[in-house]
Every structure is written in structure tokens, then in C-alpha cells.
Amino acid sequence: MNSRAAANQAYVILKRLRQQMEEQTDISVRLNNSMSVIAEEMQVDAAFCFVNIDDNYLELFAAHGFAAESMHKVSLRIGEGVIGGIAKDCRPCAVSDYKKHPRYLYKADLGEDDYKSFLGVPLIRRNKAIGVLVIESRDIREFTDREQETLETIAMFLADIVSSDEMSEYKKTLIKERGLITRERIKGLSLSKGYGLGNAVIHRRRHAVTKIFTEDKEKELDRLTAAHQKMNADLDAKFNSTKLGIGEHMDILDAYLMFARDKGWFKKIADNVMSGMTAEAAVERSYEDMWNRLSATTDVYLKERLHDLRDVADRLQSYLSGDFGESGKSDSENIVIIAQTMGPAELMDYEYTKIRGLIIEDGTPTMHVAIVAKALNIPVIAKIKGLFEEVKSGELIAVDGNEGYVYLQPSDDIRRKFQEKIDENKKLQAKFAELRHHLSQSLDGVRIGHYINVGLAFDLDYIESTNCDGIGLYRTEIPFMASDVMPDVERQISCYKELMDKAGKRKVIFRSLDVGSDKLLPYWAGLSEENPAIGWRSIRITLDRRAILRKQMRAFLEAAAGKELNVMFPMIADLEEFEEARETLMLELEKEKRAARPVPAKVNVGLMIEVPAIVFQLDEILEKADFISVGTNDLAQFVFACDRGNPRLTERYDVLSAPFLRLMRLIAAKAAEHGVYCSVCGEMASNPIEALALIGLGFRNLSSSGSSFGRVKSMIRSMNVEEVSDYMQLLLNSSKKTLRPQLMAYAYDHGIEIY
Ligand code: PEP
Ligand code: MG
């Protein structure tokens, strides 16, 4: 049979299946009958279909050629036997003598004893197998590629039936009958913090492909071209008007648009149309092809691009059908979006001021939609399986992004607690906003230099809203991480200039590229190292790849032309590293001068105190450096030999303990002795109780995250520096594992505001 004959055969079968699915009988009956149609048309003795009952199990839902009693009695784990393997790997499998297959598993309930040859294909939805369709024959025979193609086309049709609302209702009834309880509180993975309460909007863009073949290819091609053009024009308009501003978000959207405009992708769809498929089926087929190629890769970045491709494919389907589903539409003023997967553009189909939460079944922390949602202050929870099918549109959902819980139809009590938290948060935000008119100054008149940390473009808004003294840490690696390619000097200059312009007269401290360990660049193959946190990272990379450092220095110099430039180097472990890095900057400065390009009015060079060894060279380094900033996140990880990214260890050691605080006191004292500007830009400066201790130890400059600036400021404005300093001296004699309770009690007794 040639390809055309296979297409014809599939066409005939699908026509019969569609007619049969329109019958007014139970879905279970129709599914069963469809197996008979498949067996008859494919001229085999048996046809049957396993469907995923949950994340781990497949169950026999329909069969021809088997005893009716085996229905819903036979189940397999995903990965178990040949059929479970097809579901796990999402790959078809054909064998002429089934029982000789190494993964063959005898299931007495199924009664396959008579059958020899086997052909199984996965039913795929959203990159996952949602079932397996199998045909079997009594004789030993080879199934041809064409037969496999035909069965795959039928599987596309069945996948739509299996993922239909009707089917999910049927599955729910089965679950209920078996006495399984539905869930009320579900644990997921928090990708963005915050609390949200709203009505569920099921993000269902995916349209069932009901017509697979066409007789009028030209007309289909015209439809496809028109839909593709309109989609791209609308995307351009949407992204040009997005509220997200420039910076790394635009890179995310650019990456997305790349798929939408990709000529190769479009050509593949057009080729499918020319082979006789409808535009809709052609889009699906080309997506599946791409998915088959990319899904096996271990490259996280490439895998995540599949989400973008899914998003673009769904979008194109909407343009083809003219049906834009529920996306963006809800009467409620408070919505919680539930999606299986989502691209950044889809999130923007919703009115973002109404979004109170986002739940993504297949989410990972680095997926683009999570980065965008975080920038919009939307709590995001990922890795909750089955929710998409479980929840009904409009149902009330509470999202706890702090703990990573989702509450389905929360009780009155939980609802009240959530509302309290949300209201409390609103009031506090209003109070913090008001603080912008006041100084970060203590009750006894000590002025604290109070800065913010910046990374995402969204952080830039905090400069004005907090009225901070400046940017104490600009994490330049974040635009590098969000970009698809290494940003060139021009791109860097425009990024840094934007920050300088927004900062106006305020101080800005640029940190050189701090990548490696947990901060991976998508375009650099990740090195697999035994201990990445103490591996080839940060300044170690940029000193070894000097061209990158030189380019970044040039971009800093040009962006700060005529102004003060402050550059600091991260992870410096010895004097020589600092001198080499500074020398690189100075050489670039000389080059700029020689080329008669405008240079900064003043250049200050500093370093981060993150590696314990440097603390023992402070006298020498403070002679050379113009300023220092303590990166307490890394410093604590190295002092306690405790991986900062390991959730098991998060509460094991406390920075509020005598050893760490003594070390901090030493740093502050040395800097004061040498008259060198010194600040703290690690998380300690963003946590009010820890910031209180830092000020008590002598630190007078803090750089907090934009979102915690108000909390720290209200603490500063309610403390007495002299009194706290005296108390800290006493406290440092304690040998307790943590001094947090004492400090909290002190703050409470002295009316210091700790939110
Ligand atoms: C730190 O280590 O404290 C720091 C501010 O740097 P980062 O968190 O970016 O490693
Ligand atoms: Mg660090």
C-alpha cells in the first residue's frame, strides 16, 4: 500500500468512526463499537484501547475481540509491558510475534493468548500519551509502515474523543463509583509567591481536530496562509502594546515570535496540507513531528521551547476555526487560570489585572510564562497533575503561592483566612507606598543608605515607587539568562542605559556577569560538575573567557558616559582575581579614551564579599577597592558549607547566629576602619529582622529587593540604632544555634515594626 492508499484507507475508517460517534448511545458503547470498525477495516482480529485513568495507570476502556468482562478490569502501570512502554515513551511499536518481545507481559484477565502480531500506537495529547490503541492478528505477520501511519491517524481522532468533556465526565463517574475521593487541598510547586482567590478559568485553547482529510487542497492552503498571516499581525500588535516594558520580557516574546514566524515550520504544515490533510490536522501533525524530535533531548531549554511551539500551534488553530475558546473571557473580576501548559502570549490574552493566580500542570521554574507571571506579581503553582480535568469553570479556587498549595472549593473558613491575608497585604502595600515620602532613618536619627536590587525589567518600576537611594545590586546576568543568544555590546548598552536613565541621579552598582551554578545560560551547554556552587562559575568564568568580560565592561563604560560608574565583581576569592578584573575594566577605559569616545565622569571598582577567604584579606583588599558589598546568600552557603538551593537544608543553619553575625561584624568594622563604602545586598538586607541585626552590627547601607523595600524601611523607621547596637554586642556572646527568637522578642518589646 502506498502513502495515498494509506490516506484513503484512513479516510474511509475515519468517516465510519465519525458517523458512529454521532450515535445517541453511551460513550462506552460508542468507543467499543469504534474498535469493531477499526478491526474490520484494518482486517485484523482484535482492536482495543487503553486509556490513562490517572498519571500512573492505563485501563482497558474498549475492545473488539476480547471478552466484555475484561473491560475496566485490566490495568497497566505506565511503562509496564509493551503497552505501558508505548505510553511511557510515546512511541509506536510493531512486532510480528508479540510474545517474543522482551517487554511482553502476560495478563491473564486480557485473554490475548490467541494473538500473535501486534501494532500499538499512543494517543497523544499535549506531548503526553493519554492512551494506547492496539490492533492484533492471530497469524504471525509484519505490519507495514503504511498500516502504522493509518493507525496513527486514527489515534489522532481517538485522542480527541478521549480528551473530550464527555469522556472526562465518564472517567469521573468511574472514579466516584470506585469510592475514590476527590481532592480538596493539593500540594504543588510554587513558582511565584502570593495569595490569590478567584474563579477558575480553564485555559482550553486546544480545538479538537474533527476533520482530518480534505479534497480541496488549494482552498485549505489559502485558509492556512490567511490564518497564519492574521495571527502574526495580531501577535505583533499585541507584543508592541504589552505593559511589560522592555528588557528580558521582550526577549521572551521574541523567542515566541520566532516560532510563529518560522518559515520551516510553516512549510511543513503546508506540505502536510498538500498531502491531503486539512489545515487543522496538518498543524497538529507538524507539531507532533517536532515534538517527537525534541522530546527525547535532555536539553531543558529546547524542551521548554516545546511549550512555546504548543502555544503557537494552538493559536494558529484558533485562527483557523475562528473560535478563540474561553481564553481571556470571564465575567469574574478575580480569576485563577488553570492550564495544562501555556505560552507567555496566552497569559496576555487575559486581562492581567484580574488574574489572581495561575496553575500550570506541566510548569517548571524556568518556563517563560512563569517568569512573566512573576513579573506581574501573580502567584503561580506548577506540577499539579489532573487538575485540568478535575476543576470546573467558575469553581472557586484559592492559591497559596507561599506554601505551594491549591485549595479547590475552599471552605468558608479557608476563604476567610485567604481574604484576610489578601486584605492585610493590600493595606500594608498602601502603607509602604506612603513611606516613599519619608527617609530610611532610625528614631535616633541615623540615616541608612537604602537601595534596591534589580534584575528583571519589572524591578525598574520600584526605583520610583520606593523612592530608594539607588540600585545597590544590578544582577546583569538576568537579561543574559532570558535571552536566546548572548546579548551583543549594543544590546547590553541599551539595557544598561535604560537602567541609568531610570535611576537618574541615584547611585547604580553594576555587577559583572555572575553565571554558573544555578544560573545557567540557555546558549551555553551546561557543564556537569560535581559541585557547581563551588565550581567554574561567576568571576572564574569571566576571567577565563575574557572577551565576554571585556565586552561587558565596554558596555558599562558606554552606558555610563558622563556619569558615575560603579562596577563590582562577584565571587572574588583572592586579591589577584580582583586586580585582574579591575585591570580588564581599566584597559577598556583606556581604549575608550583613545578612541575619543565619551567616558564616565568617575569609575569606582568594588567587589562582593561572598567567599570566606576574602574576609581574611580584608586589610589588603580594602586598600585597593573603592567599595564592597556583602553577598550574604553565597557567603552563608560557604560559611556553613550548606547548599543554598537544597530545600532539605533551608532551615538547618541560621544567619542569625553568633558565628555568622561575628563574621558580619568583622566586615563592617574593617570597612569602617578603612573608610570604604560597604553595603549588604544579599537576602539578609531584604528580611526586616535580619536587617535589624545588620544595622546593629554597624552596616549603614542595605540593598533590599524591591518587593521587600517597604517592610525593611518601616523597620528602620521604628528602631533606635544605638540601643540595638548595644543589644547586639550582648547577643553575640550567646552560643545558641539561632538568635532569631531573641531578636524577634527584642523587636516586639521595643515596638520595632517587623512585617
Ligand atoms: C548573594 O550571594 O548574596 C548575592 C547577592 O548574589 P546572588 O544572590 O545573585 O548570588
Ligand atoms: Mg552571590
Side-chain angles (χ1 to χ4, degrees), residues 409-422:
Q409 296 179 325
S411 64
D412 288 349
D413 197 31
I414 292 175
R415 216 183 294 182
R416 210 172 330 105
K417 281 194 187 121
F418 260 75
Q419 201 49 56
E420 272 166 22
K421 286 203 163 119
I422 295 165

Side-chain angles (χ1 to χ4, degrees), residues 16-27:
R16 278 191 67 188
L17 287 178
R18 205 167 303 119
Q19 281 166 354
Q20 192 263 309
M21 276 296 163
E22 276 161 14
E23 280 170 16
Q24 299 294 315
T25 47
D26 272 4
I27 181 130

